[in-house]
Structures are given as structure tokens and as C-alpha cells.
Amino acid sequence: MTVRKRMHLAVRLPGLAGTTAGTGRRSGSPADFAAFERFARTAERGLFDFLLLSGGGRSGETEGRVHDPDVVGWPEAVTVLNALAAVTERLGLAATVDTASHQPYELARRLATLDHLSEGRAAWNIVTSTAAATAENLRRGSRPDTTGHHPVAAEFVQVSRELWDSWTPDGVSRPVEHRGRHFDIAGAFTVPRPPQGHPVIIHAGDSPAGRDFAVRAADVVLAGPGAGHCLPGRQGSREETLEAGRAFYAEVKGRLAAHGRSPEELKIMPLATYVLGDTAAEARERAAEIRREQIPPRNAVGTRERSRGTGFSSGGPDGPLRAAGPDPGPLPAQGRATAADVLTVAEKRRARALEKAPPIRQTVIEASRHPTFVGTPESVAAELDAFVRTGAADGFVLVPRATPGALEEFVDRVVPLLQERGVFRTAYTDTTLRSHLGLAEPVWKG
């Protein structure tokens, strides 16, 4: 009897860069705890590995205008997850935290506390901000150095692990002394070693530097088909995406041995959006409607200017695209693609739009991210299975297009089909996030 490869599933809240209609008529409010609790309980009912909370240091702005297409008023992730630890039992709890906004001792302490309160379910999604606006909020006054942010992040993680390992497994504290290029720390860490040894480390890994960092330090990578292989708005056939996913999977897994790691020690779980319908035609229509909801007129101009440089519109959301090209100066958005990639895509979109001369809002809608999976529950389950079965992914971090109803629909309609296929768990078998992901506890390095 052939043993089917099991799929890992997680969910991200909220979506970024216009992937979630967070304040649409289908959505509950994300600003109060009841909404977080409902979302987390739904993910746990669906037997998901973890819930990933996104975050940012500043709302989206262009030239002083707040236009954030993401969920506005978003609370701090670790604080919310500490509260969710009390109302969930098995679901992993992952916080997106920027290394540019914190110090290793402070963040290691908060994450260790979360791991203790959740009894071993904490994870840290590492981002390295390139946003000048974030630096302004922190009174740093200038854009962070984007050429060296991964080395800083690598030492940040190293210091955090030294702090977590400063307590022996049997509860004895030892002093910590780290003298590095970016951090200089000496003293005693105040929180005992986390139940998992170290919280699970997550990273995007969809740039060359990000992949280098991920194969050395991460437990989960978010890049892959539908994420790192497709810039926003860039679409390929399913076979092209599958082939790109298999190539990425093989390349990243193949590099682990050079760092003394096995392929099982790093899970590749690309971000994936989805829209379901009773028929394929209904799913496509729902997808188109949701994309229109994601880009209301008040956000259309700001969305393009924020992520591609200023100077795109000459008459508001209903005006045509301006003939001038995108601003080649420093890009304000935190992103994983290079500046050259972003400007190349922006120029192609501008050229296409000038040929058709549509209103800028229509240009933004056409260029926005298309859902990764659109179809009936049966077809979406089959496609998810195909990616995992053929070696293009270990699983997916789902980004619901409308919160929280879309997650409930997936749990009720797609998860049972994956279970019938024998590719997804029918019950949790352990309590820690590392056990859900099949990751061993790190060896103590005291």
C-alpha cells in the first residue's frame, strides 16, 4: 500500500498587498478580540498547523495620504497571540516581527513567554524591514540599510537562540555573553528555556539572500508556487507554476546538506489564496467580485504609488494613467522582490495600460494578485494535493480572500476532502507546533 505524503496547512491573517478584503461586507471586524478568537478557533477546528499574524510598523501612506489597502488598526501580534493561547489548545501561534524594530533580548523574552503560555506552540515569522516610513516611526530618521539586513537578521536569530539556550533543560540559568558585529550582550536571561527548545522560525525566502538565510536558520519557508515565483499580478499556467514550484523545492532542499541539515528540517509552505464556488464558473465570478472589493476607489491610486513609486495617475482613481514612467527612486514598500524586478513589472503594466487607456482603478484591479486556486472544493483539494504529491511544496499557508468567512468555508468544504484523500490529519497527535510540523526539538547548546 502506497503511503501518501501528508500536507501541512496554516493560515495567515490578514493578507497583505491587497490580498484580503478585510473590511468588506463579508468580513467581521479584525480590531476586537472576538474576531481573532473566531478565526483561531476555526483554524484549530480545521486541524491547521499554525495561525500566522501579519503586522507592520506603519499604515500605508503616499505623500501624507493614508490609503492602506490592508486591514487598518492592526494590533501588535505577540500580544494578541498571548491572549489566543488561552482560548486554543493545539493550534500553533506565529507572530510576524521585524528585526529592524526590536532588540534580540527583548524579543527573545517575549517569544519565550509566548511559548511557555501556549505550552510549546510559538513561532516567529522574521521580516527585515526596508520601509523608510517604519524608520520614521522609530525616530531613526532614514531608510534602513537594505544591502545588509539579512546578515543582521542572522545574528539576531543567533543571539536569540543563545539566550534561549542559556537555561539548561533542567532549569538552571547561565550567564550570556555575545560580542558580535551588530549586537553586544552580556547578562542573564530571565525566562527559562522554551518548551520547544526554540520557537519555530519562519521566513519568506523568496529572494536569493532570503533563501541563503532560510537554509541556514529557518524551519519554515513561505516562498514557492504562487508566492516567490510570481510577482504580484504575474500569472502563469498551472503546469508552469507546478514546474516552478518543483524547481524551487528541489533547489532549496538540495542546499540544506551543506549546512548539516536534512530535507525534513525545513518545510516549504508557500502563501496561497483561494476562492471556492459550487461550479468553476461561480468560483471565477466570485474571484472577480472579490478583486473589485479589494481595490475600492479610495485605495487605487495609493496602492500603485506605494508599491511602485509615485506619479502613476493624472486624475484620481477614475483618471487615466500618466504617461511618465514609474519613479526610479527608493521604493517605500517593504517587499521581497528586488527594486529592479518591481520597476520592470511596473513599466510593463504602465505600457499595457497606456495602450488601453482605462481608469487607473481598472488598471490596478487587472494587475492585482489573482487567487492561486479558484474552483470547486473538489478541484481545489485535488490541486493542493498535486503540489504536495509531486514535490512542489510541503503544504500551504492560506490567505483567505475575505475574513473570516472564507476560512470557515475552506475548513467545512475542502479539509474533509483532503482527509478523504488521506493527505491531511484527522486529529492532532501531539501538543507542540514542532510536533505538528514533524520538526525535532533543537539540541541544547549550553
Side-chain angles (χ1 to χ4, degrees):
M1 179 178 178
T2 303
V3 178
R4 302 291 297 276
K5 182 179 178 181
R6 291 298 182 97
M7 180 185 304
H8 295 284
L9 287 177
V11 63
R12 177 177 178 171
L13 176 72
L16 297 180
T19 57
T20 299
T23 56
R25 55 185 172 82
R26 296 188 184 88
S27 305
S29 169
D32 65 322
F33 183 71
F36 286 106
E37 182 178 1
R38 175 183 173 185
F39 199 84
R41 287 186 183 276
T42 299
E44 189 165 67
R45 178 168 63 84
L47 305 175
F48 280 38
D49 292 70
F50 60 88
L51 162 64
L52 170 60
L53 289 189
S54 298
R58 185 164 175 164
S59 297
E61 300 176 23
T62 300
E63 298 177 352
R65 304 189 311 275
V66 176
H67 61 76
D68 200 340
D70 309 324
V71 178
V72 178
W74 196 244
E76 194 276 323
V78 178
T79 303
V80 174
L81 294 176
N82 280 322
L84 289 177
V87 297
T88 55
E89 296 180 357
R90 302 294 182 91
L91 181 69
L93 303 169
T96 299
V97 185
D98 187 350
T99 57
S101 306
H102 298 271
Q103 291 295 317
Y105 184 96
E106 168 259 340
L107 182 56
R109 189 169 185 267
R110 293 167 61 204
L111 292 170
T113 300
L114 174 60
D115 207 49
H116 279 284
L117 292 177
S118 65
E119 299 182 311
R121 295 184 281 136
W124 171 22
N125 177 35
I126 298 174
V127 296
T128 53
S129 178
T130 62
T134 300
E136 290 172 1
N137 270 357
L138 297 170
R139 299 182 181 274
R140 294 181 181 179
S142 62
R143 180 181 303 276
D145 179 9
T146 62
T147 61
H149 58 282
H150 279 103
V152 175
E155 187 177 342
F156 197 116
V157 173
Q158 177 189 347
V159 176
S160 298
R161 287 174 167 161
E162 290 173 5
L163 291 166
W164 294 325
D165 282 342
S166 68
W167 284 70
T168 68
D170 55 357
V172 178
S173 175
R174 298 184 178 185
V176 178
E177 183 171 350
H178 176 95
R179 309 296 181 188
R181 179 180 177 185
H182 306 288
F183 302 104
D184 190 336
I185 294 174
F189 192 55
T190 60
V191 182
R193 193 168 192 260
Q196 296 184 103
H198 305 158
V200 170
I201 300 296
I202 303 170
H203 189 59
D206 55 359
S207 69
R211 285 193 288 278
D212 288 340
F213 175 80
V215 297
R216 288 183 284 109
D219 300 303
V220 177
V221 170
L222 301 181
H229 293 294
C230 296
L231 290 172
R234 175 181 166 190
Q235 307 301 315
S237 71
R238 180 61 66 224
E239 282 303 316
E240 289 172 337
T241 306
L242 258 175
E243 185 59 34
R246 285 192 287 265
F248 179 89
Y249 188 95
E251 190 264 336
V252 172
K253 295 275 188 172
R255 294 170 60 182
L256 291 168
H259 300 276
R261 307 181 68 191
S262 69
E264 293 73 27
E265 293 181 62
L266 180 66
K267 305 302 179 185
I268 296 178
M269 299 178 62
L271 300 171
T273 55
Y274 61 91
V275 177
L276 303 177
D278 290 333
T279 65
E282 179 186 328
R284 289 192 296 270
E285 177 54 36
R286 289 183 68 186
E289 180 185 355
I290 290 171
R291 288 173 66 205
R292 290 191 292 271
E293 287 185 7
Q294 289 166 342
I295 311 293
R298 67 182 181 276
N299 290 343
V301 175
T303 297
R304 289 301 92 189
E305 290 179 346
R306 179 180 71 160
S307 60
R308 302 295 180 261
T310 60
F312 269 73
S313 174
S314 58
D318 296 319
L321 203 65
R322 205 162 68 184
D327 181 355
L331 296 176
Q334 175 180 308
R336 290 171 292 224
T338 67
D341 290 337
V342 168
L343 290 174
T344 297
V345 172
E347 179 58 32
K348 290 180 179 178
R349 291 177 182 168
R350 186 186 66 84
R352 289 197 302 266
L354 288 174
E355 290 178 4
K356 300 178 182 179
I360 189 172
R361 183 185 176 219
Q362 185 60 36
T363 302
V364 172
I365 290 172
E366 291 179 0
S368 64
R369 295 174 190 259
H370 292 242
T372 315
F373 301 101
V374 178
T376 64
E378 293 78 9
S379 68
V380 169
E383 288 191 79
L384 291 168
D385 185 19
F387 273 94
V388 175
R389 177 169 39 84
T390 62
D394 292 309
F396 295 91
V397 177
L398 301 177
V399 185
R401 283 282 176 164
T403 59
L407 178 61
E408 294 171 346
E409 185 179 27
F410 186 95
V411 167
D412 292 336
R413 304 189 68 186
V414 180
V415 167
L417 298 175
L418 296 173
Q419 291 168 333
E420 289 177 9
R421 287 172 167 266
V423 298
F424 191 64
R425 65 171 65 93
T426 56
Y428 289 113
T429 58
D430 213 324
T431 59
T432 70
L433 177 53
R434 285 189 175 275
S435 65
H436 299 342
L437 292 168
L439 299 171
E441 180 178 325
V443 175
W444 176 63
K445 298 178 180 179

